[in-house]
Amino acid sequence: MSDATDPWLIVGLGNPGPEYAANRHNVGFMVADLLAERIGGKFKRAQKAQAQVVEGRMGPPGPANRRVILAKPMSYMNLSGGPVTALRDFYKVPTDHIVAIHDELDIDYGALRLKLGGGDNGHNGLKSMTKAMGADYHRVRFGIGRPPGRMQVADFVLKDFSSTERKELAYLVDRAADSVECLLAEGLERAQSAYNS
């Protein structure tokens, strides 16, 4: 079982490469980038995994201050489990101290839901992580809504946010980053009551 001194591994899920940077599927990367900025770090290539990482501390001074490893897997989304497992093993992070930040189709745009464990809901990044290490990790689910009309899900998630969505995106990414900080400092129940919508 994990204890307060164990590090946390915060994983933003996305696809590497500039052509994917602004896609809905890459909102996990966007939140991870903001968290890295907040702790004053820059992503660099991990030595032991196909990922970029930032190490630092998050949270208020005192007992709620946590050692964190922020990570962006540099495999494609459907292969995220390999890099995350390698980082978990290298940094000796208990599975319940792993947080995956990802896009979620079944939640309205901008809504957040935090949870521990559960299914993958067809999300290829979660599917890969769960296959590699079980389902007992935290998720910060960032709602992107369903595709309009008959658009295929794969096309929808690999498109950039619409101009209307982009007006609110910075605020929503900021709120998602806040929810991660709250989860680490105050626990899942407190973060759920403050941020789940």
Side-chain angles (χ1 to χ4, degrees):
M1 196 57 204
S2 56
D3 70 35
T5 61
D6 285 319
W8 284 79
L9 175 58
I10 318 288
V11 182
L13 292 180
N15 284 308
E19 68 274 32
Y20 298 106
N23 288 180
R24 292 183 177 94
H25 222 18
N26 270 42
V27 75
F29 275 17
M30 296 173 197
V31 177
D33 285 337
L34 179 58
L35 286 167
E37 205 177 290
R38 287 185 182 184
I39 66 170
K42 285 207 180 338
F43 278 100
K44 58 182 189 302
R45 219 175 84 209
Q47 291 182 322
K48 303 289 179 183
Q50 191 183 358
Q52 290 185 352
V53 294
V54 174
E55 294 179 59
R57 300 198 74 85
M58 189 178 283
N65 191 261
R66 307 281 184 239
R67 179 175 166 232
V68 295
I69 300 98
L70 298 171
K72 297 191 294 186
M74 291 288 115
S75 59
Y76 285 98
M77 179 71 87
N78 60 342
L79 300 172
S80 301
V84 176
T85 305
L87 291 169
R88 177 199 68 179
D89 295 348
F90 179 69
Y91 289 104
K92 300 179 173 49
V93 179
T95 305
D96 68 347
H97 272 214
I98 296 172
V99 182
I101 308 164
H102 64 92
D103 58 307
E104 178 63 66
L105 287 159
D106 287 337
I107 303 174
D108 289 341
Y109 173 65
L112 292 175
R113 301 266 167 78
L114 285 78
K115 65 184 237 184
L116 175 63
D120 57 53
N121 210 13
H123 192 287
N124 288 332
L126 297 183
K127 201 177 288 182
S128 177
M129 283 179 63
T130 297
K131 188 176 171 195
M133 60 186 194
D136 297 328
Y137 53 90
H138 288 85
R139 296 101 193 272
V140 173
R141 303 157 73 204
F142 186 110
I144 60 168
R146 302 292 307 181
R150 294 169 180 243
M151 187 188 285
Q152 293 294 314
V153 164
D155 295 332
F156 178 69
V157 299
L158 294 175
K159 281 212 171 3
D160 291 358
F161 285 101
S162 71
S163 55
T164 309
E165 289 169 335
R166 281 199 299 272
K167 287 180 185 146
E168 280 189 287
L169 187 59
Y171 164 75
L172 296 168
V173 166
D174 196 62
R175 192 166 177 272
D178 290 347
S179 78
V180 174
E181 293 192 0
C182 182
L183 168 64
L184 268 58
E186 301 182 52
L188 179 60
E189 280 183 28
R190 176 79 188 88
Q192 286 173 325
S193 67
Y195 291 97
N196 276 14
S197 47

